[in-house]
Every structure is written in structure tokens, then in C-alpha cells.
Amino acid sequence: MKNYDFHQLLEPLEFQEFARDMIQVREKIDMEAFREGPDQGIDARCITPEGQCIILQAKRWANDGGIRWKELREEKKKTDRIKPDRYILVLARDVSPEQKKKIRELFHPFILADNDIVTGKDLNNYLGSGEPGYARVEEKYYKLWIRNTEVLKNTVRDVVNGELLAESRLEWEKARQNAEFFVETAVYEEARKLLAAGRAIILSGEPGIGKTTLANQLAIYWLSRRGFDTYLWAESVGDLYKAQEMPGKKVVIYDDFWGSNFLNAYGAGKEERRLARLIESVRLRNDYVLILTTREYVLEQGMRQNEELRALLERYKLECRLHSYSLTDMVRIYLGHLRKSSLTWEQMKALYRIHDQVVLSPYYNPRIIQMYLGSVQPGDRPEQCAQRMLQYLQEPKDFWEQIFQNLSEEARVFFIILDLMPLPVNLERAHQCYQAAMAGEKEGSLFRESERVIAELEKTAIYTETVPEAGNALRVRFQNPSANDFIHQYISRNFVQYRELLLRSCCYFECCRKLLSLCALTQTDGAFCRRVMERAIDLEYRCFFEYNRDYYSYYELLQVYRNPAGEPFRKWFTDKFRELLSRIKRDSADVSTEDLKEFPAAAGRAIEYGFYRNKEEAAAVYFEAMMKNRLPFQPGDMPANL
């Protein structure tokens, strides 16, 4: 017989969902679920084909307290208003026969039989009955069995060699400690199914998303529910082959399996082929499960160097991304971090009250949350803790400052020059900018060095993604908008120190455009501004993206033109505007719609700086072109100086 303490093991919402799932199995019905919070007396509901209304209410009460009669009387008032045909009450605790009789009398006439008052003992009896439906429910709620299985007490066999044994024991203890706070998500369910089907899985994705935690939770599931008895933490392909010779049924984790290794031992193909052979053989075995984790960029680079392995690795790959989590998942992750922290009870309550603001923040990031909670002191006032949490999410300057200072010199350079790029950006082009920037820092910097830098930054600040529509090209972006905010402010404060490096990195027009804005923001001297403008004009048609516009760059430069720094380029700006005006007059259909729509603002700037003086002609040309092309316009579209 099972002996779970449901009050201790499950959170309120988890118990509500567990109760619904158990009653669905018992009654062979489907019940509509309701969210946690004020429920008007309904946690779940079923309308039968005959039109009968069945209501379920779940109460997660502890065994060591009395029956909460006042709370039950309030529930009865709600039930009187609803008037269901049948009312089922599920309790996490046990009750005596006399108490059950009294509860049934209180809820008369809605509780039809004693077995519609389901106690903790009843739930344990159902789970121990051997009924497959109940077994599936038990398997779903991992918190029930995660701390109630003898398997977890000793899973690292002494037959492993010394160094490997020590590492496996260390990682196993961490896995057990973290398991209590693990959040079961849709990604976890998908991973379980993939692993069951192929006996091997590759968890890839952005850093900090919880790939290692997910890997360990999968291992715990196989050890607790699938009859496996050995946990092994591998550091090399050689370790994976050693594990094959071990007795027993093994779950093997190879964390960050390419990691920085693919820059060294990997790449020649020998180790990759050994790994591929092992993955293929594992699916035919019943005593070996293999779980690998890696960062998405590292995986893609490894597959590019070994294209013959791409089909195999893609078949076993599951990509983990933060945006795949539901709001409920994100709340549970946040609450898990609160429970795991060393907060006082009052601090925890204050931080719980802002959970909706935290998860709806565009800066939500589990790693930032974890770092902030680690900085809270026992003496901090609860209200201040909550206020600082929201401020920290909005502007986690200290968090990013610490990350930035701990980076290698090359990684800091890449971090800095990303601020000039329109993200997400093609990684190959970002590499070009990096190499140009490093040309003045380190002679002979190689493309391979860029790969090391990306691998380092993926652990903290950026993530990469594959674009199938562009031939599996990689593009890069910041993991969190706050990282971009931090580096932009950092550059602004230290612009004189970094401006030469930034200028060297400008291999594309958009970088120059952003650098000119920084020049204006920091009131940089005219000589440097002229150098940037000259580079921008040279790169007029070399852009990161295809804009399908002939005058995109010209319009952008008009916005950042300033005298006297721009005076040496007056002729270029003047000639360019006359060319644009002449082209619109001659054949406006040959000018892109976007260039036509933005012409009034460009004309206003051109007249303001004296590149053109006949404002009446400029206005007339614009209106005629818009009418010829049947484009909507208003007189108010024209700037005041036209």
C-alpha cells in the first residue's frame, strides 16, 4: 500500500490537479479544471451526457490539524448557490468515520455517498490498487515518488573507477537536492517520450534554461519508475564506453558533451563517430539510457564540422527555449527559486505577492532571479525585497557587470560590438565584425578564436538559433534585453576607451549608423565623427539585411547629420538628394514605397541643412508621386519647414 503525505509533497494547485486526475480515473469522466485562487466553490466540474452537473472540491489539509469546519461551512454556502447534482470532496488528510458522517450531513443533499468524500487514505489505496489509470497519475506527479523510493538512496555503483565514481557521487547528490524544486513542464513531458522511444536524447538550447536539471530529472525518473539502478556522470566518450561494460541498468549523463571540447579533441571526426556508433547501439539495449546536453550554437558548429552526423543527431535532439514555457510554468519556476532560497517567511510572502509582475516582465530570466535571491540578507525588509526584485529585473546592472568583468578579453570585445548590430544578426557577419575589431587588438586572430568566444558567451549573455529557411544559418541575439541595455550604457560611459575598437568593427552600414548615434549621445569630438561618417558613406550599400530600398542608408544618415562635423560631406548629401528628387520626378514607380513614404522627413532635413532650397518643388514632387502610385497621404505628412 502507498503511504504518501499529499499535504507535504504537493503544492495547493498540484493537489487540486492531482485530485481531479484521480477522480477522472475513478469515475471514468473528463473534468473541466479551474485556476488556483477564488474558485466560487468549484475546483473541477463535469457536465455528463445526461446533463448532470458534478462538482469537485479539493482541500489540501494536513493530518496534524483539526477539520476546518468554518471553511467547510463557507464551501456549503457556495454549493447551495451552485446546486450541483453531485458534490465530490477530496481531502489530503484522513478523517474518522464520525467526521465523514458529519461532513456528509453538512453537504446534504449534494454528497450522495460516503465514497464521495475521498481522503488521503483513499487516494493511497487507489494508487496501490494496480489499476493502470492510477499508475499513470502517480507517474505524472513526480513529487510523490521522488522522495519515496529506495532506489534514490544508493544508485552509484562502486564498480566504477575511482575518479568517475567520485564525480558521479557528487553530481548525484546535487541532482537529489535539486529534484525537490524541479518544475514539470511540457518540455519535460516531451523529453520523457523521446527518451523512452530512442533510449538516447540530446538536450540543446540556451544557457541557464535548465538543461542539466532536466537531464538529472529524466535520470531520476528512469531510476525510480523504470527499474534502472545505476547513475553515471560521464566526462568523455571514453566514459560512455566504460559504462557499457558495467553490470546493472545504467542511466548515463554526458553534460555539455561538445562544450569547449569540440574546439580541441573534437573536429577530426574520430570521437564523433565513436559517439554516433554508441547512440545507435543504445536504442537496441534494455540496460542503457544516454542523456546528453549541449548549447545550441556548439551543437550546430559540431554538426557543421561533421555533416554526416547531422541526420542522426537531429533525430535525437530536443531544443529547450524559455519561450516554450507557459506562464504557469514560469510562476512555478519562480516559486521554486523562492523555496530553494534562504529567505525569511515574511520576505518570501512579499516576493510571492509580486509573482505576476515578475513573470510578465520582458526581462524575466531564471538565472537573474536566482542571483538576486542569493543577494537578499535576513535583515532586509520584505517590502524592499519585492521592490528591489522588480528593479533588478528591469535593470540588473550589478548582475551584468559581474558577468562582463569575468569574461575573457575577446568575449568582452564581442559583447561590446554586438551593441552596434541589429539583432538578431547572422553569426557569420557578426564574426566578420569581430575579426575586424580584433585586428588592432591581437595580430593573427583566427576565425576559430571567434568560435571559442561564442561558446564562452553562450554560457551567460547570448544565445544562438538555427534558421532552417536560410539553410540552417546561425544567428545571434542577447539572451535578455537587459544585457543589451547594460552594454549600451557601459559603452556610453566608457566611449573614449572603446571608440576606436568600435570603429574598426564597422564592417556594415548599420554599425556605422549606431556608432554615429553614440557619437551624438556622448558629444564626441568632430574629427572622430567625420571618420565614422566617411566609413558609413563607404558602406552605404553594404548592409546586414536586404531592405529592398535604394535610399535606406541615405535617409538614416540624414537623421544623424550634424554640423560642423558633417560639413566635409555636404556635397555628397546635396548630390544624393538631387538624385533622389530627380528620380522621383522622372519615374516615381521606380522608387520603393518606403522611400516615397519617408521622403517628406528626408526633404525636411535636407532643407534644414541647406542641401536643397526649393521646398515648394519638393512638396509638389512628393504629392504628385503619391497620387500617381495611388498611395495614401495627408498634407500633415509634410514637416513644418515644408
Side-chain angles (χ1 to χ4, degrees):
M1 175 182 166
K2 306 290 182 178
N3 190 30
Y4 294 132
D5 184 337
F6 300 104
H7 173 268
Q8 180 184 3
L9 295 172
L10 299 177
E11 300 295 328
L13 181 57
E14 290 172 327
F15 180 71
Q16 176 181 314
E17 294 173 346
F18 169 74
R20 180 202 66 211
D21 289 348
M22 293 291 285
I23 296 303
Q24 286 184 146
V25 172
R26 192 187 80 169
E27 300 293 324
K28 296 180 174 56
I29 59 175
D30 291 326
M31 304 199 80
E32 178 186 5
F34 295 88
R35 61 177 293 177
E36 184 181 23
D39 54 25
Q40 304 303 313
I42 305 174
D43 283 337
R45 176 179 63 192
C46 172
I47 305 298
T48 69
E50 296 77 22
Q52 289 191 321
C53 176
I54 304 174
I55 296 299
L56 178 144
Q57 187 70 29
K59 296 294 179 185
R60 178 180 158 272
W61 294 340
N63 267 319
D64 56 2
I67 299 292
R68 301 180 188 178
W69 293 107
K70 181 179 179 181
E71 187 175 332
L72 286 179
R73 283 191 286 271
E74 289 299 317
E75 293 296 338
K76 175 57 165 56
K77 292 178 184 177
K78 299 176 186 176
T79 309
D80 287 336
R81 289 194 294 270
I82 300 168
K83 292 183 169 41
D85 297 293
R86 182 181 176 191
Y87 185 88
I88 300 174
L89 179 65
V90 181
L91 304 173
R93 60 163 295 156
D94 297 329
V95 297
S96 68
E98 293 77 14
Q99 289 171 326
K100 182 174 284 195
K101 179 181 178 182
K102 189 175 178 181
I103 292 171
R104 184 174 175 183
E105 290 173 351
L106 173 63
F107 281 88
H108 179 78
F110 306 114
I111 294 182
L112 305 182
D114 283 354
N115 68 356
D116 280 351
I117 303 171
V118 182
T119 67
K121 185 175 181 179
D122 295 328
L123 294 170
N124 275 308
N125 284 337
Y126 297 157
L127 293 174
S129 67
E131 164 66 38
Y134 292 129
R136 286 192 293 271
V137 174
E138 182 182 23
E139 186 171 288
K140 177 180 176 182
Y141 292 90
Y142 73 92
K143 286 185 179 179
L144 296 178
W145 42 263
I146 192 70
R147 290 183 291 176
N148 287 270
T149 173
E150 292 300 314
V151 173
L152 299 190
K153 293 182 179 178
N154 183 20
T155 60
V156 182
R157 290 176 174 264
D158 291 336
V159 296
V160 188
N161 65 48
E163 184 178 347
L164 202 52
L165 173 62
E167 190 69 24
S168 296
R169 287 195 186 282
L170 181 65
E171 294 299 331
W172 175 245
E173 285 306 312
K174 289 194 291 186
R176 290 178 61 189
Q177 291 167 15
N178 290 331
E180 184 178 350
F181 307 103
F182 176 75
V183 175
E184 187 176 312
T185 65
V187 174
Y188 169 69
E189 286 299 320
E190 187 177 358
R192 268 197 351 185
K193 292 175 183 176
L194 286 174
L195 188 56
R199 296 300 180 105
I201 191 170
I202 300 170
L203 302 172
S204 72
E206 56 200 273
I209 196 66
K211 297 186 296 293
T212 303
T213 302
L214 175 57
N216 276 319
Q217 196 64 29
L218 291 171
I220 288 172
Y221 168 76
W222 279 78
L223 292 162
S224 303
R225 309 295 296 173
R226 302 295 290 264
F228 278 57
D229 54 26
T230 302
Y231 172 95
L232 180 63
W233 184 271
E235 297 284 353
S236 67
V237 175
D239 290 342
L240 303 182
Y241 274 88
K242 288 177 187 176
Q244 284 195 113
E245 309 305 320
M246 291 172 52
K249 303 178 78 172
K250 304 152 288 280
V251 181
V252 186
I253 295 178
Y254 190 2
D255 193 41
D256 202 13
F257 78 92
W258 253 326
S260 59
N261 288 330
F262 88 93
L263 303 171
N264 301 313
Y266 288 81
K270 181 179 178 182
E271 289 295 285
E272 286 86 345
R273 287 190 291 274
R274 291 185 70 206
L275 178 61
R277 286 196 299 271
L278 183 70
I279 292 174
E280 286 282 63
S281 68
V282 161
R283 65 188 180 88
L284 302 175
R285 301 180 59 144
N286 59 12
D287 66 340
Y288 197 113
V289 167
L290 178 59
I291 306 169
L292 304 101
T293 77
T294 185
R295 285 160 280 152
E296 183 62 21
Y297 165 76
V298 171
L299 179 62
E300 180 60 29
Q301 288 298 312
M303 290 192 295
R304 287 187 178 195
Q305 294 179 19
N306 303 273
E307 283 292 339
E308 70 277 10
L309 300 181
R310 182 179 291 276
L312 171 67
L313 298 181
E314 289 279 8
R315 192 162 71 242
Y316 290 93
K317 166 187 159 184
L318 175 64
E319 189 172 353
C320 309
R321 292 289 189 191
L322 186 61
H323 61 68
S324 64
Y325 290 157
S326 68
L327 285 176
T328 301
D329 292 338
M330 293 166 70
V331 170
R332 287 177 169 173
I333 291 169
Y334 175 63
L335 298 182
H337 281 296
L338 293 185
R339 292 174 57 214
K340 192 176 179 181
S341 66
S342 301
L343 299 169
T344 67
W345 176 241
E346 293 302 320
Q347 289 171 340
M348 189 175 296
K349 286 197 297 184
L351 287 163
Y352 169 77
R353 283 193 289 270
I354 63 168
H355 68 269
D356 54 342
Q357 294 170 263
V358 171
V359 300
L360 291 174
S361 167
Y363 302 99
Y364 175 92
N365 183 286
R367 184 168 288 174
I368 293 177
I369 291 169
Q370 182 181 14
M371 186 169 181
Y372 169 73
L373 294 176
S375 71
V376 175
Q377 299 299 314
D380 293 345
R381 291 173 53 194
E383 298 78 11
Q384 290 179 336
C385 289
Q387 185 179 6
R388 284 203 308 269
M389 165 66 86
L390 297 176
Q391 292 172 345
Y392 199 80
L393 276 175
Q394 187 69 26
E395 191 177 355
K397 177 178 174 294
D398 294 341
F399 172 79
W400 292 115
E401 181 75 39
Q402 180 178 338
I403 286 176
F404 183 75
Q405 296 303 332
N406 287 333
L407 293 172
S408 66
E409 177 188 349
E410 294 86 354
R412 286 199 295 270
V413 169
F414 204 104
F415 200 161
I416 287 169
I417 67 174
L418 276 178
D419 185 54
L420 297 185
M421 302 180 201
L423 303 180
V425 70
N426 180 282
L427 189 55
E428 294 277 354
R429 296 184 174 183
H431 278 319
Q432 294 172 21
C433 296
Y434 168 77
Q435 296 293 354
M438 291 301 294
E441 300 290 314
K442 288 187 174 181
E443 291 298 326
S445 182
L446 301 176
F447 185 79
R448 195 170 177 80
E449 185 69 29
S450 303
E451 294 179 333
R452 293 181 182 276
V453 169
I454 294 295
E456 179 182 355
L457 283 172
E458 262 218 319
K459 296 177 183 178
T460 52
I462 66 171
Y463 73 80
T464 56
E465 54 195 0
T466 306
V467 187
E469 299 82 0
N472 286 325
L474 284 168
R475 62 184 183 184
V476 61
R477 69 169 82 220
F478 285 112
Q479 285 185 28
N480 192 282
S482 61
N484 203 165
D485 294 343
F486 161 76
I487 201 61
H488 186 71
Q489 294 168 13
Y490 181 85
I491 293 170
S492 299
R493 293 194 305 270
N494 301 278
F495 189 67
V496 173
Q497 177 183 350
Y498 291 111
R499 68 183 194 179
E500 292 295 335
L501 181 145
L502 290 167
L503 180 55
R504 286 198 304 273
S505 77
C506 289
C507 297
Y508 292 88
F509 172 80
E510 294 94 335
C511 296
C512 298
R513 168 64 176 85
K514 186 74 173 285
L515 188 53
L516 284 167
S517 294
L518 279 168
C519 288
L521 178 68
T522 56
Q523 299 182 340
T524 301
D525 62 87
F528 183 78
C529 292
R530 285 191 289 273
R531 292 169 59 200
V532 181
M533 181 65 80
E534 183 177 14
R535 175 74 63 85
I537 291 172
D538 288 343
L539 297 173
E540 178 186 5
Y541 297 112
R542 191 171 194 240
C543 299
F544 280 108
F545 306 113
E546 293 289 340
Y547 294 101
N548 296 318
R549 298 171 56 186
D550 292 331
Y551 294 95
Y552 165 79
S553 299
Y554 179 63
Y555 283 6
E556 290 292 313
L557 290 180
L558 277 172
Q559 293 181 40
V560 291
Y561 181 90
R562 297 290 184 276
N563 280 326
E567 192 62 32
F569 309 100
R570 171 172 290 277
K571 185 178 186 305
W572 183 84
F573 276 92
T574 300
D575 292 346
K576 199 75 176 177
F577 185 80
R578 290 182 181 277
E579 173 194 311
L580 170 61
L581 190 65
S582 175
R583 187 169 169 185
I584 295 175
K585 288 169 65 177
R586 183 176 65 252
D587 185 5
S588 59
D590 189 42
V591 180
S592 72
T593 300
E594 288 301 313
D595 282 342
L596 282 177
K597 287 181 177 179
E598 294 186 22
F599 177 79
R605 297 286 289 176
I607 288 169
E608 178 185 352
Y609 286 106
F611 305 146
Y612 193 73
R613 300 193 181 279
N614 192 340
K615 58 184 180 182
E616 291 80 8
E617 182 186 21
V621 168
Y622 167 71
F623 288 129
E624 183 179 353
M626 296 298 279
M627 286 188 289
K628 276 186 177 179
N629 291 278
R630 297 183 179 182
L631 296 172
F633 67 91
Q634 298 290 335
D637 292 343
M638 306 300 288
N641 63 349
L642 286 185

